[in-house]
Amino acid sequence: MRVFTLVFSLLITVATSQTHDDGAETINNSPGHSSSFGYTGLEGPLNWYGLDRKHNGLCAKGRYQSPININSEIHSGRGGISIQIPSASADFENLGTTVEVALSNGLLFTPTGRYNLAQFHFHTPSEHRIHEEEYPLEVHFVFKNPAGRVAVVGFVFEITENRRGNALFENIFSQVHKIASPGTSVRLNRLMFGDLAAHLESNPVYQYSGSLTTPPCTEGVSWFVSSKPLALSTKMFNAIKHVLKFNARYTQNALGEKNLLEVAASELDLASPELHEPVKHELR
Amino acid sequence: MRVFTLVFSLLITVATSQTHDDGAETINNSPGHSSSFGYTGLEGPLNWYGLDRKHNGLCAKGRYQSPININSEIHSGRGGISIQIPSASADFENLGTTVEVALSNGLLFTPTGRYNLAQFHFHTPSEHRIHEEEYPLEVHFVFKNPAGRVAVVGFVFEITENRRGNALFENIFSQVHKIASPGTSVRLNRLMFGDLAAHLESNPVYQYSGSLTTPPCTEGVSWFVSSKPLALSTKMFNAIKHVLKFNARYTQNALGEKNLLEVAASELDLASPELHEPVKHELR
């Protein structure tokens, strides 16, 4: 994905988030905070802190960062959470760093409270890994409660040999070629979430407290990742990958452990100068 | 991929590399240098230097590191290089960090000299990105010349809708379920490389001087990456991904630019302490 200023997506968020409390406690970017980020070189995840030292400190120093490798230490359980999203039409937008469906009519129920849907968006390859394994695509349904707390429900996708993917997402991805450029959008009709809600309720869900996977990498995000992949056709995988290109943050350290960038920095401090040997770089 | 000590793979390398000059100039690990690495947490790419400060300095400080995002600044050309690999049987081995075909009978011809095949192995997802886009799989054919210089020929794969992938690799991947555990191997028969050689010669090839993508991240590696993906069936993609799980280093900085870990370290040094705000981490 190309770098794209967040101003555009923030305008959209503001325009569509009448149901949200955007007070001081809100976990998202505020409209006054405009920064750009990407997934390549100095705009990429290793330098998100460098792009905005004032706001992105947790990207380099947070110890409860997402995405993680989901291993046996992560709690999983069946039931306890559910989503209710009425069938709807919605805008499908290319934000430069992801493609997003702006749909605020939906609810997440958890043991500790109710959240309102803000949007859902995609990452390729998957951001979470499950027992070390990565998946070709992941969707994040982002919810907020009136106090501004964020909960995200994630599903990974697995490419199916029989060509028949999950109907909801095949419907969505069939339109993705129309929003190949950042800033473009298309209207999606007849989005139906019943099967997805059933999928979430009928399979174990991994639960942990992590962070946003994009700047400012805010922590305190309640993550719910379904253990069972959704089916994705080869055709639609290629279509969405061609637009997303690559937009996954690297796997973070285990929850509670030192941020991997802090680890790297402390190593470099201790390095002896004689390790910097000159090396020839010409292509022979 | 699980962490796995390199001792095992080094024994294999030594046992099968009679044709190589293993003198002081050799770019590979020497048998006396045993280190382990992986792709998760403290064993992962951000901490490869920390795993072995004596040998892995370039992983954190090198400025010509691979893999890169291949953009318009990378030279591409048709012709000029070719491979000749006789049809053969070979062992297909799970080294813990990758799966590898040990086949030393093969040649690479470049404008500046001839190299001998050492082995080829796989990464998922692709390590190189082409114009920002990532691919689900990449193969690296590793060659060395008698002076110990390394050249790698890489191909990315694209999943095909018609179920028919490249015959050579479909043949290989059909056996990958037999080497699901590190340390196991299986004999492959009738490997035919004619189509691959033709593919390489009939499409533009990106060329640059970079590094090994695994510790010790040695630089001075001549990279040749075919611009045209090979076809991969969905069935075989799922089969090899299930064994490899995830073994791609993150995209490095542009060639000649400061190592991204050095960039991150310099930012952390400059950070003000007040950015370390306490954050609640319970799952609500």
Side-chain angles (χ1 to χ4, degrees):
Chain A
M1 297 299 295
R2 275 145 290 192
V3 180
F4 191 70
T5 174
L6 265 182
V7 171
F8 177 74
S9 67
L10 287 167
L11 289 175
I12 290 169
T13 305
V14 170
T16 61
S17 64
Q18 300 91 335
T19 59
H20 305 149
D21 175 339
D22 279 322
E25 267 189 285
T26 185
I27 206 168
N28 247 13
N29 294 316
S30 66
H33 164 216
S34 144
S35 68
S36 62
F37 69 94
Y39 291 91
T40 306
L42 294 176
E43 285 77 33
L46 273 81
N47 198 39
W48 284 348
Y49 175 41
L51 292 176
D52 187 342
R53 284 203 180 87
K54 190 171 170 199
H55 296 96
N56 297 352
L58 287 167
C59 299
K61 297 171 198 162
R63 297 184 180 200
Y64 291 83
Q65 289 287 293
S66 298
I68 58 167
N69 172 41
I70 292 171
N71 58 22
S72 55
E73 286 171 22
I74 301 301
H75 171 75
S76 72
R78 193 185 296 255
I81 74 156
S82 62
I83 55 174
Q84 264 182 21
I85 309 176
S87 54
S89 300
D91 287 330
F92 188 27
E93 302 159 340
N94 186 329
L95 304 182
T97 52
T98 189
V99 292
E100 180 173 302
V101 177
L103 183 64
S104 60
N105 197 5
L107 293 170
L108 166 68
F109 299 92
T110 80
T112 57
R114 202 172 86 159
Y115 294 77
N116 302 301
L117 181 61
Q119 40 87 0
F120 59 96
H121 64 265
F122 301 89
H123 295 271
T124 190
S126 72
E127 295 208 296
H128 286 94
R129 286 157 59 193
I130 300 179
H131 301 302
E132 312 250 331
E133 188 165 355
E134 194 200 42
Y135 291 82
L137 186 73
E138 182 168 339
V139 62
H140 291 160
F141 283 78
V142 180
F143 297 84
K144 282 193 234 176
N145 75 5
R149 296 204 183 279
V150 172
V152 186
V153 178
F155 300 85
V156 297
F157 290 82
E158 188 165 61
I159 304 178
T160 173
E161 285 173 52
N162 71 12
R163 304 188 188 200
R164 212 175 307 159
N166 176 285
L168 166 64
F169 293 105
E170 298 287 309
N171 175 2
I172 294 172
F173 300 153
S174 71
Q175 305 300 308
V176 75
H177 64 283
K178 297 179 181 168
I179 57 166
S181 303
T184 56
S185 72
V186 65
R187 188 78 180 166
L188 302 173
N189 294 315
R190 294 184 299 280
L191 299 179
M192 315 270 278
F193 297 88
D195 288 352
L196 191 71
H199 182 104
L200 185 67
E201 287 188 56
S202 56
N203 296 287
V205 176
Y206 300 109
Q207 307 189 9
Y208 76 96
S209 179
S211 77
L212 302 180
T213 65
T214 53
C217 307
T218 315
E219 297 187 341
V221 171
S222 296
W223 274 97
F224 302 95
V225 180
S226 180
S227 62
K228 187 166 182 202
L230 299 170
L232 174 66
S233 72
T234 303
K235 182 174 182 175
M236 290 304 143
F237 168 62
N238 285 332
I240 189 160
K241 183 175 76 69
H242 193 59
V243 173
L244 286 177
K245 300 190 189 300
F246 174 85
N247 68 339
R249 192 183 188 193
Y250 59 90
T251 311
Q252 302 294 303
N253 210 347
L255 297 169
E257 298 297 318
K258 210 171 169 184
N259 191 296
L260 286 174
L261 289 177
E262 280 189 298
V263 174
S266 64
E267 286 155 11
L268 283 165
D269 285 344
L270 293 168
S272 352
E274 64 265 26
L275 290 174
H276 300 262
E277 287 160 20
V279 184
K280 287 185 183 170
H281 301 296
E282 324 80 64
L283 182 63
R284 285 170 306 269
Chain B
M1 297 296 296
R2 276 145 292 193
V3 180
F4 190 71
T5 174
L6 265 183
V7 172
F8 177 75
S9 66
L10 287 168
L11 289 175
I12 290 169
T13 306
V14 170
T16 60
S17 63
Q18 300 92 336
T19 59
H20 305 148
D21 175 341
D22 279 323
E25 267 190 284
T26 186
I27 206 168
N28 245 14
N29 294 316
S30 67
H33 165 215
S34 143
S35 69
S36 62
F37 70 94
Y39 291 90
T40 306
L42 293 176
E43 285 78 31
L46 273 80
N47 198 39
W48 283 348
Y49 175 42
L51 292 176
D52 187 342
R53 284 203 179 87
K54 190 171 170 200
H55 296 95
N56 297 352
L58 287 168
C59 300
K61 297 171 199 163
R63 298 186 178 198
Y64 291 82
Q65 289 287 294
S66 298
I68 57 167
N69 173 41
I70 293 172
N71 57 22
S72 54
E73 287 171 21
I74 302 301
H75 171 75
S76 72
R78 194 187 295 254
I81 74 156
S82 61
I83 55 174
Q84 264 182 21
I85 309 176
S87 55
S89 299
D91 287 330
F92 187 27
E93 303 159 340
N94 185 328
L95 304 181
T97 52
T98 189
V99 292
E100 180 173 302
V101 178
L103 183 64
S104 60
N105 198 4
L107 294 169
L108 166 67
F109 299 93
T110 79
T112 57
R114 204 171 85 159
Y115 294 77
N116 303 299
L117 181 61
Q119 39 88 0
F120 59 95
H121 63 265
F122 301 90
H123 295 271
T124 189
S126 72
E127 296 207 296
H128 286 94
R129 287 157 59 193
I130 300 178
H131 301 302
E132 313 251 330
E133 188 166 356
E134 193 200 41
Y135 290 81
L137 186 73
E138 182 168 339
V139 61
H140 290 161
F141 284 78
V142 180
F143 297 84
K144 282 193 232 178
N145 75 6
R149 296 206 181 280
V150 172
V152 186
V153 178
F155 299 85
V156 297
F157 290 82
E158 187 166 63
I159 304 179
T160 173
E161 284 173 53
N162 71 10
R163 304 187 189 202
R164 213 175 307 159
N166 176 286
L168 165 65
F169 293 105
E170 298 287 308
N171 176 2
I172 295 172
F173 300 153
S174 70
Q175 306 299 308
V176 74
H177 64 283
K178 297 179 182 168
I179 57 166
S181 302
T184 56
S185 72
V186 65
R187 188 78 179 164
L188 301 174
N189 294 315
R190 294 184 300 280
L191 299 179
M192 315 270 277
F193 297 88
D195 287 352
L196 191 71
H199 182 104
L200 185 66
E201 286 188 56
S202 56
N203 296 287
V205 176
Y206 300 109
Q207 307 189 10
Y208 75 95
S209 180
S211 77
L212 302 180
T213 65
T214 54
C217 307
T218 314
E219 297 187 341
V221 171
S222 297
W223 274 97
F224 302 94
V225 181
S226 179
S227 63
K228 189 172 180 195
L230 298 169
L232 175 66
S233 72
T234 303
K235 182 174 182 175
M236 290 305 144
F237 168 62
N238 285 331
I240 189 159
K241 182 175 77 70
H242 192 61
V243 173
L244 286 178
K245 299 189 189 301
F246 174 85
N247 68 337
R249 191 183 189 194
Y250 59 89
T251 311
Q252 301 294 303
N253 210 347
L255 297 170
E257 299 296 318
K258 210 171 170 183
N259 191 295
L260 286 173
L261 289 177
E262 281 190 297
V263 174
S266 64
E267 286 155 12
L268 283 165
D269 286 342
L270 294 169
S272 351
E274 65 266 26
L275 290 174
H276 300 261
E277 288 159 19
V279 184
K280 286 185 185 171
H281 302 296
E282 323 84 63
L283 182 64
R284 285 172 303 270

